Amino acid sequence: MNRQEQLLELENEIAKANKEIDNLKSGMTPGQMISVIFLFISIFMIFILSGFFVKFFGFILAFLSILGIIGASNQKSERVSWLEQCCIDLECEIEKKKQEWLEEDIKPKSDSGKKTDNKQEFTDKEIESGLVWKRRFTVVGTFYRDSGEVPFYKLQKDLDHLETVKTNNFQFKPEPDNPYHGNAIKVIVEGYFVGYVPRELANQLIHYMEPSKYRTEGYVRISKVSLKRGKEIKYAVVPKIYTK
């Protein structure tokens, strides 16, 4: 189960608990309904029917019905309190997981014993220039642009050939309201929408999204595509982030 599925499962549990809380607060439980029905029967026996034993039995039934209503109400309150605590615990679990994943994403990893910390991969010249992050990756979600955003292929004259666009007008645009990923980041080049940064890299890049501290440049390489066959365009993006 991936991270998104884990979060979705926890959020579904919270939604179910909140729905049950709303139902409990807005209506009666089966126990309350049965007790109320018997209370009305007892009232009918006491005030409508005649006979000493009938009225006496009606008083007993009324007393038991009131006890039943009180007991059912207490159970209802306990259930609501338990569900509310469950929601709090689940929300804490979500925050805990997010924190754990954030720590995993920013923690330097190794691959077959080779160090992959950015600074250890940089040349002396790159370090002196203020380079703090660089990667080559393929953007995702090239079709999921907002209305009014112009797709990057509009910038190209011929999509049947490989082409590279180098530019300093290379923008990462965070999208915190994205319903699928709170750290979602768009890639905008020369004002054109290219796509989204893959989830794993976006969790790293989000720490460099302060324009006052960092500047970005790089280039986009366009893979061979055919829009007539409805295939998603593949863009290889090579950004570099420098300190200002």
Side-chain angles (χ1 to χ4, degrees), residues 81-92:
S81 298
W82 182 80
L83 288 170
E84 288 175 342
Q85 185 60 48
C86 285
C87 289
I88 294 173
D89 292 341
L90 288 170
E91 289 172 354
C92 291

Side-chain angles (χ1 to χ4, degrees), residues 149-239:
E149 290 183 327
V150 183
F152 189 73
Y153 68 80
K154 294 288 187 181
L155 188 64
Q156 309 309 311
K157 296 180 179 179
D158 188 355
L159 290 175
D160 290 331
H161 296 83
L162 294 177
E163 187 173 346
T164 299
V165 176
K166 292 186 178 181
T167 177
N168 289 329
N169 189 1
F170 197 112
Q171 180 186 5
F172 284 125
K173 185 177 180 182
E175 196 174 69
D177 296 331
N178 188 293
Y180 302 104
H181 186 210
N183 288 339
I185 301 174
K186 290 180 180 179
V187 179
I188 307 293
V189 174
E190 294 291 337
Y192 293 84
F193 172 80
V194 181
Y196 283 87
V197 178
R199 180 182 297 270
E200 293 76 12
L201 291 181
N203 290 331
Q204 299 176 21
L205 265 177
I206 199 68
H207 303 288
Y208 299 101
M209 296 295 99
E210 296 186 48
S212 61
K213 294 183 179 180
Y214 304 101
R215 62 180 177 86
T216 304
E217 63 182 53
Y219 62 88
V220 179
R221 182 178 294 277
I222 304 160
S223 299
K224 198 170 185 178
V225 297
S226 175
L227 292 179
K228 294 180 180 179
R229 291 194 292 270
K231 293 183 179 179
E232 185 176 13
I233 304 173
K234 300 295 183 182
Y235 297 117
V237 179
V238 187

Side-chain angles (χ1 to χ4, degrees), residues 23 58 62 65 74 86 123 125-126 134 188 197-198 228 230 232:
N23 291 336
S65 298
N74 289 336
C86 285
T123 64
K125 184 177 180 180
E126 288 175 330
K134 68 174 181 178
I188 307 293
V197 178
K228 294 180 180 179
E232 185 176 13

